[in-house]
Amino acid sequence: SPGRRRRRGPAAEGGSPRDGGSMSCEVSVLYFARSAELAGLRCETLSVPQQITSLQLWEEIVKVHPRLAVIRDQVVFAVRQEYVLLGDQLLVLQPGDEVAIIPPISGG
């Protein structure tokens, strides 16, 4: 089954799952509206630390797409379809989790 292959991938490097935040996992990052324009794509898979604050996760994404930095103060995350504000909130990510980048939607 696909779940059993996890041990062989890059996420298995760095020791056991009990050793804190040293392991990384691959998450699906979805970009919407202005974030998609700035990133130049609508979705991708990124390898990030399994335990990370929402602000650190944003910084990891901005390393890959520096143009996203301009929307930092307006952006909201949704992790596993739950809204998360940028800050010190600790996220414990699992391989395959969905992280959506949701900039403000302008209306009129």
Side-chain angles (χ1 to χ4, degrees), residues 2-83:
R4 293 182 184 208
R5 284 189 275 148
R6 274 191 228 157
R7 292 184 190 132
R8 296 182 187 161
E13 293 173 7
S16 74
R18 285 181 245 112
D19 64 5
S22 66
M23 289 185 59
S24 64
C25 66
E26 290 192 348
V27 296
S28 297
V29 183
L30 309 176
Y31 301 94
F32 293 94
R34 180 109 169 97
S35 69
E37 294 170 22
L38 292 169
L41 70 169
R42 296 210 173 271
C43 64
E44 69 182 328
T45 300
L46 293 179
S47 182
V48 296
Q50 195 164 9
Q51 293 187 21
I52 190 169
T53 68
S54 56
L55 183 57
Q56 289 169 331
L57 179 57
W58 172 251
E59 290 167 352
E60 289 291 318
I61 293 168
V62 169
K63 281 182 196 173
V64 178
H65 302 288
R67 294 177 57 198
L68 289 172
V70 300
I71 60 170
R72 183 217 184 277
D73 292 333
Q74 301 112 25
V75 77
V76 176
F77 276 164
V79 177
R80 293 183 295 271
Q81 300 182 358
E82 291 186 27
Y83 286 111

Side-chain angles (χ1 to χ4, degrees), residues 75-104:
V75 77
V76 176
F77 276 164
V79 177
R80 293 183 295 271
Q81 300 182 358
E82 291 186 27
Y83 286 111
V84 176
L85 296 175
L86 294 186
D88 294 333
Q89 178 177 348
L90 183 64
L91 305 173
V92 180
L93 301 170
Q94 299 300 318
D97 275 355
E98 235 177 44
V99 177
I101 310 299
I102 305 169

